[in-house]
Amino acid sequence: MSSAEPILQWNLGTKMTKNIVSKLYPYVIGLKVTKCPCANDVALLGFLLNSTLDGVYIGLSSSGFWNYDDTTWYNLTDMIYSRVGEEHRELSIVDMVLTNHFLVILTSLGLFISGDLRYPSSPALTFSRTDFCGFERVDYVKGKLWYNERCFANREHVEVDYVTITFERNRTLSEASSCFYSNEPFLEWLPCLPLILHGRKVGLLTVITFLIDQDQSCGVYLLSNQKEISVAIHILRNNKPRLKLKYPSFTFPSSFSSPIGMTFHPRSHFLYAYGNQVWLSMDGGHTFELLADFHDDIIKNTYHSFYTSDIIFVAQSGKVYLTKAGLERYTEIGSITDKIFTLYYDHMGFIHKLTPDHFEAGRPLATFRNSKGIFGQVPDMGFETALALQYITLNEMIFYAYVPENEPENSRYTKQFNNIHLGKVIHSRKTGTAYIRKILKHDILKGFLSSVIAEMTDPFGVEDVSESSCLSSSLSISQDGNFYKLTLQMQTPGVTSSFQDSDVEKTVVIPGYSSFLITRIVDANNALAIATMPGRVPNGMTFVKDSWFLYNFGQRNGRMWTIYERPCNYWFQQHDDSLSLSVLKYIDLGKSQSLKVKVIPNTKGIRTFETSLLKVIVGNPNLLEVEAEGSFDDTDSYLMKISVSSKTLHQGSTSLAFIVWGASTDCFVTTFVPTLKSSCSYLKSIHHIPSQYIPLEDWISGVHEDSQGFNMIKTLPINYRPPSNMGIAIPLTDNFYHADPSKPIPRNLFHKSKKSGKFKQCANKSTREECNCTNDQKFSHAVAFSDCREKVPRFKFPVTQYPISLEIHSEDGHTPVETPYLVTVMEVNRRENWELTHTVPENVKKLKDHLEPILRAPVYNPSGLNLSIRGSELFHFRVSVIPGVTFCNLVEEFQIYVDEVPLPFPGHPLIAIASAVILGGLIFLTFMLQIHNIHPWDKCRNLVKRSKWKL
């Protein structure tokens, strides 16, 4: 359960009981689901209602819709009406998108944008309405939202969420567009098409879909006009598409006649355009390859799982198809008969079927990714025609699909192999299987418009004499017009041998020659057939019994062959400690990262070719330098090592796809898509390593003595401020330490001291308890938390050659700070009486001389950097790595309290002079008394005696 997700902090509206929700079912005509980009187990489900009921009703799940009763339902109707007025009616959800920080709801009465989900500012979530001039309810109900799902958990400044809205209507002269887009906070919505310059006109150009390619910072359009469907890519500048095209537009063939939309697979650069066909682009829309052709059927919706790379296409007919991201093959996995439903992938890649009154997940086998139970029985992907078998080698063969001459032109595609059969397995109803390696199309081969090259995994059963008595005779071949006549010649007297009607659509196989598909029985001894390889026909030759064979891949008495998905044939393994399929790697300037993956074949009975088993594709090849090296080991496993290094000063992110191109869609993992960021890792930081380690328990107690009994921890006075250059009693810094607003401020007698000093954590507080200082803040060296800082390291005067040891901590471990990571050092309270010494090699000197005028600060080599302090009390230093050597803002602070300082000048000389004068005066007085024979001691003694006598 992702309790940290922003949407879970909110009360979306009025909570609804299950009984109230059930009363909505008769009015529901559709469902819309949207999920958190970073935590797909947190998702929203909205009801689309008919015109007889008004309302916006949304269910929230934090556990992936596994249990209907765990869904919390909210009524947002009152909130929506508070924005549009009670006089409007027929309110319903049309579409909705949950971005990283906002919820966008398209309703029949307009588009509504939530406040920032990260910052709860009121008990209930509020929305603002966006108005599109000229668009009314009839337009909104046909609107659609488009969103490229990306997770911005550790968001960079270059990462932006975009949402697009399209309307199914042509714009009028008074309207800017029928497509609008916006980036968060979604306050300003702009036309999707860039400004048209120089009087250029777009005519009847319609934007079907507009998406932002986050990898290459481009706007990708799926466009339609009266003549063609195309994809255009425009460069983004300041989050707006420019008129200039990045590449020439890609135009689809006329067969792609019913486009529905276009979508990026989440967190990747794989782009799918879908409708009556599905097209795949691996380069962000520059080029496309045909993945599937559904002819009269149309793909209406797509559903994606970034975790398993599953992609499901649901057709208008109810058929369900599955592919994997980047894989150039797909399969049919069943159908859906529910009238009202939607599909949803959770964070672990499980598919769920959601209906208004119940949820259904995959069967227990779904843990092995066999989640097809919710789609019924896995279908046979064969088609109704006969196949002709032609052997090429003992284990390799070609299956030709027969198309009768009288087959209507518009249905011939139903009797052909197509892309869905690539990588599948042909099964014979007798025995035998073969793996389809390649699809072939034919233009001039009579009777055969398509074929497949297959590799036999189990031998196919042949016909015997009891099934086909013709096998008892010799067979002669002769040409008869466009056909070939097969003639039987009795070889054994008394044995009945003839062609029968059941032999139609069987294949005559003659080793070394063309095979023949029997199409018609002329009489008992003659049959007409078509050849699979006309150039290899043994015309005029006779073959004796047992030198020719019959195979039955016909359909006269029920189809004798089927096609099903191949069981998983490859295992995917990562060569690191991470088991996650969602890997994020940071590459800083001058740094590199390596990735290793291993593909283990599970191809019993299938040859493994010495070709790369992996395809590697970079989403933005201009961002990083990527080098790939692949090799086979002794077990035929394929190992791929990728080295990624920084290339330019440009920050950004890109996806890197590893595709097992020959894998079955039945495999759990076929595509691995890590995200690479040319940026600073949020785990990277710089740390000062103290010269002497002090345990946490000693910091808490405030006592840590060295070998001479000197306490190395100083507890600062309350409301302490360090001295200034004007003296100890005149602090001029704005930073308080150990702040307590309820206590008096020391050293606050002078006017300049009274004007300085500002509380931070304790601002507008009356006591220290109200400052809410955490333990981390109390022990932090950061000046931002100086109010909370109570104890600091204590050193005895003088501090000489104190080593400033710096380390960089990251996910790769701890490394010392060395060149080219030069640093600047400053004292945050503007104190002086300190100096630094360091070594300056020639290469460092050149860089130092170049940087110091630019930064207007001294630049130091972190190697061998030493600090000497001649002042007293607290010194607070900030060390910063120079810009240009890292994307990170590496800053560290440390403090030193100098104690037991001798009196400053002229204290020591004055005391020495005064002592000398007093001592000299005493000596001179004694000398003078001796010269004049004056004995003051004797006189005092006589005076005491006289006093006693009187008493």
Side-chain angles (χ1 to χ4, degrees), residues 62 129 131 310 319 477 510 519 540 547 611 720 742 811 816:
S62 60
R129 184 175 184 267
D131 186 42
D310 283 1
K319 290 185 178 181
I477 313 294
I510 306 172
T519 58
S547 66
T611 57
Y720 171 77
S742 65
E811 59 267 36

Side-chain angles (χ1 to χ4, degrees), residues 272-322:
Y272 292 85
Y274 59 92
N276 65 309
Q277 296 176 339
V278 175
W279 291 77
L280 166 62
S281 174
M282 296 192 185
D283 53 16
H286 183 200
T287 60
F288 283 83
E289 294 292 334
L290 179 64
L291 178 65
D293 189 348
F294 302 102
H295 300 278
D296 297 331
D297 207 357
I298 295 176
I299 300 299
K300 301 298 290 185
N301 289 296
T302 68
Y303 304 92
H304 301 253
S305 167
F306 85 88
Y307 186 76
T308 60
S309 296
D310 283 1
I311 302 173
I312 277 184
F313 302 109
V314 178
Q316 190 170 256
S317 63
K319 290 185 178 181
V320 181
Y321 302 90
L322 170 70

Side-chain angles (χ1 to χ4, degrees), residues 173-367:
L173 293 176
S174 62
E175 294 166 353
S177 177
S178 60
C179 171
F180 302 89
Y181 79 99
S182 181
N183 59 290
E184 59 178 275
F186 307 112
L187 299 177
E188 181 183 13
W189 291 79
L190 303 174
C192 298
L193 288 172
L195 295 175
I196 307 301
L197 303 179
H198 309 300
R200 209 171 135 198
K201 295 183 179 180
V202 295
L204 297 177
L205 193 66
T206 301
V207 179
I208 301 173
T209 307
F210 174 61
L211 298 171
I212 300 299
D213 181 355
Q214 302 278 3
D215 280 354
Q216 303 205 37
S217 297
C218 296
V220 186
Y221 297 83
L222 179 61
L223 303 170
S224 171
N225 60 26
Q226 291 178 329
K227 297 180 179 179
E228 60 189 22
I229 309 298
S230 62
V231 167
I233 304 175
H234 288 257
I235 299 171
L236 290 183
R237 289 287 183 272
N238 299 320
N239 297 332
K240 297 180 180 179
R242 303 290 91 188
L243 183 62
K244 183 180 179 181
L245 287 170
K246 184 168 186 177
Y247 307 110
S249 297
F250 178 88
T251 302
F252 295 99
S254 58
S255 58
F256 188 35
S257 57
S258 302
I260 297 298
M262 185 172 62
T263 182
F264 277 102
H265 184 68
R267 310 188 192 185
S268 80
H269 50 274
F270 300 124
L271 181 63
Y272 292 85
Y274 59 92
N276 65 309
Q277 296 176 339
V278 175
W279 291 77
L280 166 62
S281 174
M282 296 192 185
D283 53 16
H286 183 200
T287 60
F288 283 83
E289 294 292 334
L290 179 64
L291 178 65
D293 189 348
F294 302 102
H295 300 278
D296 297 331
D297 207 357
I298 295 176
I299 300 299
K300 301 298 290 185
N301 289 296
T302 68
Y303 304 92
H304 301 253
S305 167
F306 85 88
Y307 186 76
T308 60
S309 296
D310 283 1
I311 302 173
I312 277 184
F313 302 109
V314 178
Q316 190 170 256
S317 63
K319 290 185 178 181
V320 181
Y321 302 90
L322 170 70
T323 187
K324 295 278 190 172
L327 214 59
E328 297 180 40
R329 59 185 61 179
Y330 72 105
T331 187
E332 184 180 351
I333 58 174
S335 62
I336 294 182
T337 57
D338 299 81
K339 184 178 179 181
I340 301 171
F341 74 94
T342 190
L343 299 180
Y344 156 77
Y345 273 107
D346 67 16
H347 61 301
M348 295 300 293
F350 287 88
I351 185 72
H352 301 253
K353 183 175 67 175
L354 311 180
T355 61
D357 58 349
H358 73 280
F359 303 151
E360 185 179 352
R363 295 179 299 191
L365 287 176
T367 51

Side-chain angles (χ1 to χ4, degrees), residues 786-832:
S786 66
D787 284 6
C788 300
R789 183 73 173 178
E790 298 176 354
K791 304 179 182 74
V792 293
R794 180 171 177 250
F795 289 80
K796 187 181 294 185
F797 183 89
V799 176
T800 57
Q801 299 299 305
Y802 172 82
I804 301 179
S805 179
L806 302 170
E807 281 186 351
I808 290 179
H809 294 185
S810 68
E811 59 267 36
D812 298 323
H814 301 173
T815 56
V817 179
E818 298 174 339
T819 54
Y821 282 59
L822 303 184
V823 299
T824 60
V825 182
M826 65 170 292
E827 209 286 329
V828 299
N829 295 311
R830 303 186 301 278
R831 298 199 62 188
E832 298 178 358

Side-chain angles (χ1 to χ4, degrees), residues 725-794:
N725 299 326
M726 299 181 68
I728 292 178
I730 312 176
L732 301 179
T733 180
D734 284 335
N735 300 315
F736 280 105
Y737 297 80
H738 199 174
D740 187 345
S742 65
K743 299 294 176 64
I745 299 175
R747 299 178 179 177
N748 207 32
L749 299 176
F750 296 91
H751 177 69
K752 287 187 176 182
S753 298
K754 292 179 179 179
K755 290 177 62 178
S756 63
K758 297 176 182 178
F759 291 125
K760 295 184 280 290
Q761 184 100 350
C762 295
N764 302 318
K765 304 294 190 300
S766 56
T767 64
R768 181 167 176 80
E769 288 72 22
E770 293 179 4
C771 299
N772 293 323
C773 291
T774 66
N775 286 331
D776 289 338
Q777 292 171 343
K778 291 179 180 180
F779 295 120
S780 172
H781 291 274
V783 69
F785 304 120
S786 66
D787 284 6
C788 300
R789 183 73 173 178
E790 298 176 354
K791 304 179 182 74
V792 293
R794 180 171 177 250

Side-chain angles (χ1 to χ4, degrees), residues 699 712-714 716 789 791-794 874 895 897:
W699 278 111
M712 298 193 69
I713 297 176
K714 171 68 176 181
L716 297 174
R789 183 73 173 178
K791 304 179 182 74
V792 293
R794 180 171 177 250
L874 183 65
Q895 297 149 346
Y897 192 95

